Amino acid sequence: MITLTDIAYVRSGAADLSGAVKFATDIVGLELVEQSELGVAHLRADHRHHCLALVEGPSGVISSGFSVANDDALAQAEVELNAAGITTTRGSAEEARSRRVREYIAFDDPFGNRLELVTQQETVTRPVAFSRTSGITEFGHLCLDAPDVHEAFRFWSTHFNARVSDWIGDGACLMRIDPVHHKLAVFQGDGPGLCHMNFQVATIDDVFRNWHYLVEHGVEITMGPGRHPQSTAVFLYFLGPEGFTYEYSFGVRRIDDEAAWVPRTFDPAEPGSIDMWLGEVKRTTTQAQLVAKD
Ligand SMILES: [Fe+2]
């Protein structure tokens, strides 16, 4: 069993890097970290050096990163995955540097989502210099697509410490790796890809202020503001360039009594099962997975 200690980052390809960076800063509010690598923009939201890396090249998600405790844990993870027939690749020193991690391994989940396990993701103590006051407090969760969310849960729960918090029928599996209701979700989709990347904001007012800001700036709102009954989070999904969906949310449930929590199942066809406020429910745009070069 591989223990994921946290989510680390999303790495995404952008054909129009400057356009994607402009959106991530001016609209989403992230800090653009001083450029240290040609063709890569690191974006910061919290203590992490970055949680989003936009890489000049074909549009599509490159990988999703998760932390493990240390190099020994990483080596053990490599052994376990290989024993299960999952091919892993060690990142080079240069690739690790670009991710601001000490070491990492990359592999595909059974559906083709590229995952990376990392050690010692760099922490930055300087306060985040947000590009605008969107109220972001942290990188909250990431959501991947898979054709079968039950199979996806089997993968995550067999190899990793992911526990299901709630099911939305056959449509979604919301999983936790710590007390936060979900740091990882898998949505039903045709193929592999990044369904959305979530940022937590400090207050419910931030969600609504951001909503007005996005509307004023002509950003396509996918869904919300609304409230998810599973996590109790007030959400707002919106579409960025190159098919990358962002989410702001506030008020995610914590599951502090691990033993007492019983996962629930919600029928997506039942009114209120996705948005308790009964707003229009729409499927978010998924950014398709790029096929790894190696
Ligand atoms: Fe989400």
Side-chain angles (χ1 to χ4, degrees):
M1 177 71 71
I2 300 162
T3 300
L4 304 173
T5 55
D6 207 348
I7 48 175
Y9 55 76
V10 168
R11 217 170 157 82
S12 170
D16 171 11
L17 183 60
S18 63
V21 168
K22 193 169 169 45
F23 189 91
T25 52
D26 297 0
I27 299 295
V28 185
L30 303 175
E31 173 189 339
L32 176 61
V33 178
E34 199 178 334
Q35 194 180 29
S36 56
E37 196 184 346
L38 202 62
V40 180
H42 293 107
L43 293 138
R44 188 171 171 228
D46 52 27
H47 64 280
R48 297 167 177 90
H49 172 272
H50 68 276
C51 58
L52 174 61
L54 294 172
V55 182
E56 194 159 37
S59 284
V61 63
I62 297 168
S63 60
S64 300
F66 296 82
S67 293
V68 297
N70 51 42
D71 290 348
D72 286 351
L74 188 67
Q76 186 57 36
E78 206 169 21
V79 169
E80 284 188 44
L81 291 168
N82 293 163
I86 298 166
T87 305
T88 58
T89 312
R90 278 261 165 184
S92 67
E94 190 186 344
E95 289 168 323
R97 176 66 188 154
S98 178
R99 289 156 175 75
R100 292 302 194 283
V101 301
R102 180 175 153 75
E103 296 273 351
Y104 80 96
I105 60 172
F107 55 97
D108 290 339
D109 78 1
F111 320 99
N113 289 297
R114 189 71 162 170
L115 307 174
E116 294 176 352
L117 300 186
V118 312
T119 62
Q120 292 180 236
Q121 182 182 31
E122 205 174 295
T123 288
V124 175
T125 56
R126 177 181 52 75
V128 183
F130 289 107
S131 301
R132 72 173 187 90
T133 50
S134 56
I136 290 175
T137 55
E138 63 176 341
F139 169 28
H141 62 256
L142 63 90
C143 179
L144 302 172
D145 271 15
D148 183 332
V149 299
H150 302 279
E151 278 301 316
F153 173 63
R154 187 164 293 124
F155 169 76
W156 285 101
S157 61
T158 301
H159 301 297
F160 304 95
N161 59 324
R163 291 88 76 192
V164 61
S165 294
D166 285 311
W167 296 97
I168 308 177
D170 297 329
C173 176
L174 309 174
M175 290 174 274
R176 66 188 184 281
I177 55 173
D178 62 21
V180 174
H181 179 275
H182 60 279
K183 285 232 169 133
L184 167 66
V186 178
F187 277 32
Q188 199 278 328
D190 295 337
L194 182 81
C195 176
H196 63 270
M197 179 176 192
N198 169 284
F199 293 94
Q200 299 290 306
V201 295
T203 67
I204 193 168
D205 301 317
D206 292 312
V207 176
F208 282 82
R209 271 194 292 264
N210 285 329
W211 176 42
H212 287 299
Y213 182 88
L214 297 177
V215 169
E216 277 166 23
H217 288 78
V219 175
E220 185 179 331
I221 307 292
T222 313
M223 188 166 57
R227 188 193 285 272
H228 287 310
Q230 296 79 22
S231 63
T232 71
V234 176
F235 63 80
L236 179 64
Y237 294 89
F238 56 103
L239 184 60
E242 321 221 7
F244 191 106
T245 298
Y246 290 91
E247 179 191 14
Y248 292 127
S249 72
F250 164 74
V252 65
R253 179 197 296 276
R254 282 175 61 92
I255 298 175
D256 288 308
D257 188 349
E258 186 67 31
W261 184 261
V262 179
R264 302 160 302 171
T265 298
F266 297 78
D267 179 354
E270 189 69 37
S273 65
I274 307 242
D275 178 5
M276 295 166 73
W277 297 344
L278 305 177
E280 190 185 356
V281 172
K282 277 201 233 155
R283 178 62 161 88
T284 53
T285 299
T286 290
Q287 188 179 57
Q289 172 71 52
L290 287 173
V291 177
K293 281 174 277 179
D294 53 7

